[in-house]
Amino acid sequence: MKDSTKPLGRVSRRGALKIGAAAAALPLVHMQTAYAAGSLKLGFWDHWVPAANPVMKKLVDEWGAKNKVHITLDLLSSGTANSKLPLTQAAEALSGTGHDVLAFNTWDVQHYAQHLMPIDDVMDAQIKKYGAIDPMAQYLATVKGHWMAMPTSVGSQYKPSCARISLFKKEGYDVEKWYPNKPGNASTSTAWTYDLMLKLAPKAKAAGLTFGLGLGQTTDSVDWTGTVLRAYGGVLVDEKGKSQLRSEPVMTVLEYFQKLVPYLPADTATYDDASNNKALISGKGGLIFNPPSAWWVARRDAIKVAADCWTFPNPSGPKAKSVPYLPYFWGIWSFSQNKTAAKELITWLQQRPQVETLTNASAGYDISPFNSMHNFTIWTTEKPPVGTIYNYPLRPWFDAVSNVSGYPAPPHIATQLYSNATFNVMIVKLTKQGQKMKDVLAWGERQIESYVNM
Amino acid sequence: MADGTTAVTAPALRGIAQPARRGGLQRFARRRSTLAFVMCLPLFLLIAGLVVYPFFYSIYLSMLNREMTRFVGLFNYLYLLSSGTFHLVIFQSCLFAITAVFFKALIGFILAHVMHNISGRDQRIWRGLLLIPWVIPPALSTLGYWWMVSGDYSAINWILQLFGLHPVAWLANTWTARMWIIIVNVWFGTPFFMIMYLATLKSVPEQLYEAAAIDGATGLQKIRYISLPMLRNIIGITVLFSLIVTFANFDIVEILTAGAPANTTHVFATYAFQVGINSGNIPMGAAVSLFIFPILAVFSIFILRGIGRRTQEAI
């Protein structure tokens, strides 16, 4: 009764100062909880090379522990008939909830750009630190001049030539001299051209080592035919969105395929992303265009085949030496609850020491979008034979460019050219289904017109 | 009003009316139909959430532009109808579903009769063995078939080569690719038809067959005049059910051919995935998948009308 009726005492100036000092000192003494900086949900690509996943888990956990962020890492598959990642992207974009950071394949950044947070500050800092970035990565990750996702090394790949050394030697060509496992110069590799590939294709077939090159509708098939087009200076649609289907380079490449296709595998029209790997590993393929994963599996399952393989850039064409490129990205959803931590984590993961650790774990499969990170030791030491994947990254003296099929069309058209495999369907119609050139071109024109108007 | 009669009468009326209303509510709550509705409510909510809402949402999606920022009405549907590739998809989907369901029903019918005439333990063994394709996940079965028919390394081509024959690029040719897609679906789906027909056959009174035998009916005549009429409703229901599932099939085509060669093996589901997910055009993908609806609606109307008519006749 006494206490309850007592009027509240007035706070003296001295008392107020004491309270203020105590409040100011509170952050210095308070106990930090284990995950004081919140949590992050990551949806990364489930790596083809299984050994790479635990290393990624270890790295993100290490960063999480250091920065007091609770991290959940989901590994999502992406590939032929195994498309958890693209489905997750669509579901999360539509629902506005899910992971904070998600992996995006080649065209996916363009598909979901309106749901992603721009990260110009992160990319500007990366470029300042590591130099020039792959122009294709920039083409795919930027919208109206803004970086909408970070090109990452994890899962990114080139698809260069992987050839049987003995087959080429038998025909008088030494691929190890063309592209030795040491620094060279552009002139050493001028012999490897599409004309030579056409000359060797019948001989390879006769020797039971048919070139395992597909004309199907999945990425490996689409990537290499687009690269041939680029090497001849052709584009299906130019950067202004205008069809170039009836241009001379496109016609030349279609005629080239008329000559080449009879010497490709009988089922080339239905090749998927595993077919070229099988061609090499079974010992029946003399040449494929693929990242080192095929060689890696051969090393595990067919060591004699692996010891006879050498990786080097794709052939040169009249206008360029072009290598297929299929990059991955990490994007931060605009609905993420912890954008600052997300930015810090992906930036940390793409610093040189972490990139090298991840590349080593993937046996050299992962490739950074920065040229300055194309000199890791792993590509020099992997064997057999020693240095077999030395020429997997684009070395400065190659004088080669990376390519994404569909480039340089505006991305909303290019993605349709790519996913509908428009050029491959044209080649198959022309070479396998007996259609005339004018009909195939007319079909292609209709397709492109519909992509432009969509 | 002024004399106070209303004031007396109104509470009195309320007093009379209230027990009556309470009694009415109790009666309403105790009615069997109300109870049934309440007990079914979770199911209705589930269907509303998982079927009705997604259906109308996909209709809404299909009427948006590529970026999903603008209403475009029927543009996506009209675009598809003018596309040569989509014409191929409609043709292939109908060819695939109708042919596969026909063969599943036919083989299932034959197998059910064979099973019916095997007695005791033997029937149980054969029935178990024949159900195996149905219990294996179709993606795995399809991968098995893919190993048998793909490229230069397939089992079938290996056998052909043993006999000095040339290997066949089964999946690179449009018609052989279509044939294998149908074969895989028939292999997987036939046991369902067989088990449904077998169950119905077991409920057909044996006296009918005995009477027919006394009258001198042949085996085919017994099937024609006894089995078929008795099985007509179950045939209708299984065909309808299988048509729905087969039209929506995705995994077989995606694994065997991914739509190749030159888009000639795409069905609605694989094309919707290619357009909606791989090309990032979700509204167009929704429009592709919704084309299944009117086609199945036509089949459903005819089949269910037939079943309804026969049931009325039976009553």
Side-chain angles (χ1 to χ4, degrees), chain B residues 259-298:
Chain B
N263 292 326
T264 51
T265 58
H266 265 308
V267 290
F268 285 119
T270 54
Y271 192 61
F273 189 81
Q274 180 179 303
V275 172
I277 303 294
N278 291 340
S279 301
N281 194 343
I282 290 173
M284 190 68 78
V288 171
S289 52
L290 281 169
F291 264 96
I292 303 176
F293 180 68
I295 295 172
L296 285 178
V298 171

Side-chain angles (χ1 to χ4, degrees), chain A residues 80-81 83 86-87 90 94 111-112 114 216-218 266-267 269-272 274-275 278-279 282 284 412 415-416 419-420 425 428-429 433 443 447 450-451 453-454, chain B residues 57 61 66-68 75 79 85 146-147 150-153 169 171-172 174 254-255 257-264 266 271 273-275 277-282 284:
Chain A
T80 311
S83 306
L87 288 171
L94 283 176
H111 299 161
Y112 302 110
Q114 72 267 36
Q217 295 176 224
T218 53
D267 60 339
T270 43
Y271 250 44
D272 64 18
S275 304
K278 282 198 298 170
S282 65
K284 290 189 170 185
H412 77 279
T415 181
Q416 295 178 81
S419 60
N420 290 303
V425 173
V428 170
K429 281 177 182 284
Q433 298 186 337
W443 179 86
Q447 292 296 112
S450 69
Y451 302 156
N453 294 330
M454 198 183 280
Chain B
Y57 185 59
L61 274 181
R66 184 188 175 86
E67 290 80 23
M68 294 189 280
F75 171 82
Y79 168 84
T85 306
W146 184 69
W147 278 105
S150 84
D152 291 334
Y153 326 104
L171 300 178
T174 297
E254 187 67 13
I255 291 168
T257 64
N263 292 326
T264 51
H266 265 308
Y271 192 61
F273 189 81
Q274 180 179 303
V275 172
I277 303 294
N278 291 340
S279 301
N281 194 343
I282 290 173
M284 190 68 78

Side-chain angles (χ1 to χ4, degrees), chain A residues 19 30 154 166 191 275 293 298 344:
Chain A
I19 293 167
H30 86 281
V154 179
S166 57
S275 304
S293 47
E344 283 173 15

